[in-house]
Every structure is written in C-alpha cells, then in structure tokens.
Amino acid sequence: MKLTVFGATGGIGQEVVRQALGAGHHVTAVVRDPARLSVTGERLEVFRADLSDSASVRPAVAGRDAVLSGLGARSRKDAGVATRLTRTVLDAMRAEDVRRVLVVSAAPVGPEPQDAGWLDRGVRGIVSAVLRDVYTDLRAMEEELARSGTDWTVVRPPRLQDKPLSGRYRTVVGGFPSKGRFVGRADVAHAMLAMTEDAGTLKQGVGVAY
C-alpha cells in the first residue's frame, strides 16, 4: 500500500512509519523537521511541511491508499493543534479524492466501559479534568472527522508507554477494553496499520489497550 503518515516524528508516528516499511508498504512521512525522523528505508519519502496550508500538503496525500495521523497536542498549551492540523489534512484529502484516514485520539474522549470499576472511573475523571483543554480539542477533531465525508477511524488509547511491540493489545470497536489502563505506542501503531484495511472500523471510534 501507499501510505502517508502525519506526525511522523512523534512516538506513535515513528512507529507507524517503521512498522509500515517493515511490512513492505511505501510510506510518505510528513514532518516539519526531517532531522527528527530517525527511521530510514528505500520505500520512504520524507515530505517537509508546516501544515499551515492544505494546498502545500496535497502532493503528500495524492494517490495514496490511506492517511494515518498521530497529530496532536504535546501539552496543555498546545490545545487546539489537533483540530487545526487535522482540518488541513482533511482539506488536502478532499482535494485529492483520498478517502481513508486513521487518527489517534484518546480514551477519555470515547465512551467509558460499562463494567469500569470505581478506581478506573476515578482516574478517568481526574485525568479528564486536568487535561480538559486537550480533550476538548480532541473531541472537536473527532467532530471534524465525522463531518468530513471520509472513511475515517479514530483510535483511542489510554495512557501511553514506551514498550516494544507485543501484539497483545485488545481493541473494541465503538467502545473500550475492560480495565484497559495502558498501551505501548508500538502496539497502537500496529493496531492502526491493521485497521487500515478493516471495513469494520470505518466511521468508528476504536478503543485499544492491554
């Protein structure tokens, strides 16, 4: 497949690029600073962009089978980034008639598991309160996707960890894994790539966790 990855220098983005190349895909990594991308490969194209203008991004998505995005705020002061940058990506996709897009969001934006215990509910409430601005941004981003007319999938992980790929994660379409408190960035990337051709995840939020 021909894939474009936005946020390719982030923790999940670099894993998506690395694993996609390892699976034999052709990858276009969209970055602001190429020096921050540590992944290399014969099927890798590095596309430098600041995402301020959708027209400048169109060559990065033209003719691609799918777009995967790890764009988002790195801290509370960056709140608003996810919605703004995702809007740029969606505008470029519409202009080039590219439909498939998978985007990283966060577990607290989606539904709470029905069997969540008091500890999980409490932690979720505290995190949501502390990062309220970030999650408000992610909800707005998800609303942009829902209105976009694209074949979107929102991937919602809980607290992220730097762990090697395990493949032992769980996914729930339209919900969230019971007692899923952590997940590794490499496993989120693996899940996103697996969902790229999964029709069951179209226009759905998917919880992913251990």
Side-chain angles (χ1 to χ4, degrees):
M1 296 181 70
K2 294 181 179 179
L3 306 175
T4 294
V5 181
F6 288 88
T9 58
I12 293 175
Q14 291 214 51
E15 280 294 336
V16 171
V17 173
R18 183 178 294 109
Q19 293 180 35
L21 290 172
H25 300 300
H26 294 267
V27 180
T28 298
V30 182
V31 301
R32 285 186 297 178
D33 180 7
R36 293 181 57 204
L37 183 65
S38 61
V39 185
T40 60
E42 293 182 0
R43 293 179 299 276
L44 175 64
E45 174 191 0
V46 180
F47 187 96
R48 187 171 186 172
D50 62 6
L51 300 188
S52 62
D53 176 26
S54 62
S56 68
V57 180
R58 287 177 58 177
V61 302
R64 302 318 194 268
D65 297 302
V67 171
L68 299 93
S69 173
L71 296 170
R74 297 179 182 274
S75 64
R76 293 174 62 186
K77 68 179 181 179
D78 295 328
V81 165
T83 303
R84 185 173 68 254
L85 299 186
T86 300
R87 188 180 297 125
T88 299
V89 173
L90 292 172
D91 287 345
M93 289 178 61
R94 278 190 290 265
E96 295 296 335
D97 196 27
V98 176
R99 296 193 55 79
R100 188 70 174 113
V101 59
L102 299 95
V103 177
V104 178
S105 183
V109 179
E112 186 176 79
Q114 293 184 353
D115 59 351
W118 65 268
L119 178 59
D120 292 317
R121 293 177 186 274
V123 171
R124 184 184 180 109
I126 293 171
V127 172
S128 295
V130 171
L131 298 177
R132 181 179 58 187
D133 294 341
V134 172
Y135 293 143
T136 297
D137 179 24
L138 291 175
R139 289 187 184 92
M141 178 195 72
E142 292 195 14
E143 291 170 0
E144 288 280 345
L145 287 163
R147 291 192 296 264
S148 69
T150 60
D151 293 330
W152 56 270
T153 298
V154 171
V155 181
R156 299 177 179 138
R159 184 176 176 182
L160 294 167
Q161 298 178 325
D162 288 320
K163 284 186 160 187
L165 176 64
S166 73
R168 296 194 300 270
Y169 57 86
R170 297 172 290 151
T171 60
V172 177
V173 176
F176 193 76
S178 175
K179 298 181 180 179
R181 299 171 182 171
F182 306 95
V183 70
R185 290 176 175 85
D187 280 313
V188 175
H190 188 270
M192 291 179 73
L193 287 167
M195 293 177 205
T196 302
E197 297 184 278
D198 184 353
T201 66
L202 297 182
K203 302 184 187 300
Q204 295 286 341
V206 182
V208 54
Y210 294 141

